[in-house]
Amino acid sequence: MTIELRALAEGEWEAYERCIARSFGGPGEDPAEAQLWRDLLPVGRTVTAWDGKEVVGTAGAFDFRMTVPGGAAPETAGVTAVSVLPTHRRRGVLTAMMRRQLDAFRADGTPVAVLTASEPQIYGRFGYGAGARQVHGSFDVRQLTVALPPGAERLRMRLVDPAEGSAACEAVYAQVVPRRPGMLERRPGWERHPLLDPAGARGDFGPMLCVLAEDDEGEVRGYARYWTTNRGTPEGIPDATVKLRDAEALDPAAYAALWRYLTDMDLIARLVFHNRPADDPVHQLVSDIRRCHLSWRDGLYVRLVDLPAALAARAYTAPVDVVLDVEDAFCPWNSGRWRLSADASGAVCERTGDPADLALAARELATAYLGGHTLRVLAAAGLVTELRPGALGPASAAFQSDVQPWVPHGF
């Protein structure tokens, strides 16, 4: 088998999309969603594997800026649409595409790559670590209330068409992005993504709705986009569901007011959501957490492409001076000993010949990069080795973020 790897050409989109649909076993994307990906995905950032005239593998990458601890947002490659046809699996096609892709990221100076994984076990061998979690949940809204902090009672809720409210929602989102590691800056065109609402994907939910939380001056302080059903039990008891798409706010009052609105509608029995932060403050606002059925799962996977540049791009919660002995078989330019000298104002990371304090693989360093998983916990799992007694604690504290990392949407 001879496989050719190259970037996608403009006239080859249908072959690219056909490979993805066949690989994932689905019917293909809604036409509006497919067109959005065509508009947003840089053709030059794709890798396609060809067996003769057939596309048998794909890997794309969006150009993002992602918030890291400290609020900076380095250039980040958002890896997407990774697929290999069932006829060509376990023949090295995926490894070849990952090799070509990471080499390209390094060549163009992109220090970090991220992805959301359909199969988490695939990407660890390429140095991706599970750097952020997300929460799925269902609230029994008939049995709980949401507390309102001072100021929430003065806010007004206004329903708008999602397209009409888009600019206001994007303005709120842009202000929230620097506050949480893992969040992605919206570049031109991405404002269309939250508005995707294909009727075929709704099931028995109605069209998407948008509510804005406004203050006395009419300034939008937060928003939520959601769907509702109109269901009842055979006995005629209302049994409808609210499904939350996204919600953001500029302050605690607006955030609580939005959750009170979502959980306090007439006829509604439950609120469901599929991607919220692990430390969502709503967990502290509900009157009965046992009525909130929550499950945590992996969310964003992180790969440090240029290790010293990535570590220098973020800030650290405590001063640290540590030598890391890093093993990186897939990106060997990252292997070796690195001295990280850092504090809340920034960091310097340089090669060193000094004795190492901690030893770990690139995947574990990526897992800790956004601050959601500590080096201490990784060490307890046998994945980080303390070589100098006393080095682990300060390093672990320095890497940790007091805000859990989270990516609000797929890509």
Side-chain angles (χ1 to χ4, degrees), residues 3 41 57 61 63-64 76 112 141 164 233 236 239 245 254 300 312 316 338 342 351 370 384:
I3 298 296
L41 187 64
D63 295 318
F64 289 134
T76 302
V112 181
V141 302
E164 175 192 342
T233 67
D239 191 42
R245 189 203 187 285
L300 190 68
Y316 298 80
W338 300 92
R351 283 202 179 273
L370 293 178
V384 175

Side-chain angles (χ1 to χ4, degrees), residues 343-392:
D343 58 24
S345 64
V348 175
C349 185
E350 298 175 325
R351 283 202 179 273
T352 182
D354 294 341
D357 301 318
L358 302 175
L360 71 171
R363 181 181 65 179
E364 279 61 62
L365 192 57
T367 299
Y369 179 67
L370 293 178
H373 298 281
T374 68
L375 293 173
R376 187 178 292 280
V377 169
L378 293 171
L383 300 172
V384 175
T385 302
E386 185 181 54
L387 302 175
R388 175 175 62 82
L392 178 61

